Amino acid sequence: MSPLSAARAALRVYAVGAAVVVAQLLRRRLRGFAEPVFPQQRERVAIVTGGTDGIGYSTAKHLAKLGMHVIIGGNNEGKAEEAVRKIKEETLNDKVEFLYCDLASMRSIQQFVQRFKMKKIPLHVLVNNAGVMMVPQRTTQDGFEEHFGVNYLGHFLLTNLLLDTLRESGAPGRSARVVTVSSATHYVGELNLDDLQSSHSYSAHAAYAQSKLALVLCTYHLQALLEATGSPVTANVADPGVVDTDLYRHVFWGTRLVKKLFGWWLFKTPDEGAWTSVYAAVTPALEGRGGCYLYNEKETKSLAVTYDLEFQRQLWARSCQMTGIADVTEEVFWG
């Protein structure tokens, strides 16, 4: 990617971020951020990736407060130990634990799923939350561009490997749920099926936006497959807004400075950013409903191209090839 194209990609990403920040400020001024009230979720089990800090930590904490058995998936055992301890203390819920899962490694994801299934417990909620943001050009252990590999492909593989347990755990009127965290950045994303690894040119901003766009496309196709097979599982996308977390450590220094000085005022807190994910995971209003893009606990429209069924199918097929997952699309829709 030429320097000019990279600059344009960065400007698009920052423009979207600025627009979201302005919307958040207006909402806080007019209505404030009132913490939602959700029904208790005792006897239900959730997995939250990236639950050691930021939005993921807050999501895990809120679900534990509701009585869920919460399993945090992450790749930092030191952080995880502290996160589990703090959540247990704050929520008085002893059913909070950690299982190692490095989304940059397909083998690690497979091992995580094996360890989880050995517990012989159900799975009612999967929150695909973990991610990297605007990192320098580098690859995962399996050779995938890091944004695409961690943010998208890792969760694609994890979700597919856990689908059988989600199906077994869901029931009519009490569906299991897949909640995938995307971003408003997907609105300026472009997905090139001929260069998903950004190998011909690289822009951290474009790669990040592409990964978030891929998550939306994938979620919609997954929901279509679930509906076609009558599975008691739903799949939705949660957009947390612009949140004050450590993900910004790789962004432009000027943005980091603004965040440091004014983040408390301009950005959502991690707790506020987590509310849409928690809403998608537990609200009765979404029982049996999938294929939604949710922002501030309300359904809204995602980028127009995300509703392109053929584009969804093509990305899904390519993702199956990359991860070794069987593509059942033709069997399900055309039998």
Side-chain angles (χ1 to χ4, degrees):
M1 181 174 289
S2 70
L4 180 58
S5 297
R8 286 172 176 165
L11 285 172
R12 288 197 296 269
V13 169
Y14 289 127
V16 167
V20 173
V21 165
V22 170
Q24 289 176 179
L25 284 172
L26 290 173
R27 183 170 185 253
R28 181 178 275 125
R29 186 180 182 88
L30 294 173
R31 293 166 37 196
F33 283 113
E35 184 168 352
V37 178
F38 298 117
Q40 286 293 302
Q41 302 290 311
R42 293 185 176 88
E43 309 303 323
R44 287 174 73 79
V45 181
I47 289 175
V48 180
T49 66
T52 57
D53 50 16
I55 299 169
Y57 173 83
S58 291
T59 301
K61 179 181 67 177
H62 284 305
L63 295 178
K65 275 184 180 178
L66 295 174
M68 272 193 163
H69 178 174
V70 178
I71 296 167
I72 293 172
N75 62 358
N76 188 321
E77 297 191 43
K79 274 188 177 181
E81 189 176 311
E82 178 67 9
V84 168
R85 182 189 64 78
K86 287 169 60 179
I87 292 173
K88 284 182 175 181
E89 285 182 359
E90 186 169 341
T91 66
L92 302 180
N93 181 348
D94 285 333
K95 290 187 175 181
V96 182
E97 58 183 304
F98 168 76
L99 285 178
Y100 185 86
C101 181
D102 183 358
L103 288 166
S105 164
M106 289 197 288
R107 182 176 181 182
S108 179
I109 295 167
Q110 292 161 349
Q111 291 172 339
F112 170 86
V113 171
Q114 289 171 356
R115 287 193 296 271
F116 172 77
K117 290 186 176 182
M118 286 174 62
K119 292 178 175 292
K120 304 294 183 183
I121 58 176
L123 177 61
H124 304 99
V125 172
L126 170 62
V127 183
N128 291 321
N129 166 84
V132 296
M133 180 176 171
M134 300 180 198
V135 298
Q137 186 172 16
R138 57 196 188 198
T139 59
T140 67
Q141 293 182 30
D142 303 292
F144 302 120
E145 186 278 317
E146 191 166 335
H147 292 97
F148 191 77
V150 172
N151 297 357
Y152 172 66
L153 273 186
H155 284 123
F156 175 87
L157 177 60
L158 179 66
T159 301
N160 275 279
L161 293 178
L162 289 170
L163 269 183
D164 56 347
T165 306
L166 286 161
R167 287 191 179 102
E168 292 166 3
S169 306
R174 194 68 162 149
S175 300
R177 303 185 183 193
V178 178
V179 180
T180 296
V181 179
S182 183
S183 162
T185 313
H186 91 274
Y187 287 110
V188 295
E190 297 177 359
L191 197 146
N192 182 356
L193 289 170
D194 295 323
D195 187 24
L196 292 172
Q197 307 307 318
S198 305
S199 55
H200 297 156
S201 59
Y202 184 77
S203 156
H205 301 83
Y208 177 70
Q210 175 183 250
S211 72
K212 291 301 182 177
L213 175 58
L215 286 168
V216 182
L217 286 157
C218 167
T219 300
Y220 291 170
H221 189 75
L222 173 61
Q223 177 60 31
L225 290 173
L226 293 168
E227 286 183 7
T229 54
S231 299
V233 185
T234 59
N236 288 303
V237 180
D239 179 344
V242 178
V243 184
D244 188 2
T245 73
D246 287 340
L247 275 179
Y248 290 87
R249 61 185 177 274
H250 293 294
V251 301
F252 171 61
W253 68 266
T255 305
R256 294 199 305 273
L257 179 62
V258 169
K259 174 183 175 292
K260 185 175 181 178
L261 295 176
F262 304 108
W264 60 273
W265 182 57
L266 296 173
F267 294 4
K268 287 183 179 180
T269 66
D271 277 349
E272 291 168 343
W275 290 342
T276 298
S277 294
V278 177
Y279 174 84
V282 304
T283 181
L286 286 175
E287 176 53 48
R289 292 189 60 215
C292 302
Y293 187 92
L294 303 164
Y295 174 62
N296 285 337
E297 300 89 62
K298 292 182 179 179
E299 184 175 358
T300 189
K301 288 290 184 182
S302 53
L303 186 65
V305 73
T306 61
Y307 300 102
D308 185 325
L309 301 183
E310 179 59 19
F311 200 31
Q312 294 172 15
R313 186 196 66 76
Q314 290 176 352
L315 175 62
W316 185 274
R318 193 71 58 83
S319 304
C320 287
Q321 292 172 0
M322 291 176 171
T323 56
I325 294 292
D327 186 358
V328 299
T329 300
E330 290 192 15
E331 177 185 339
V332 168
F333 290 123
W334 301 289

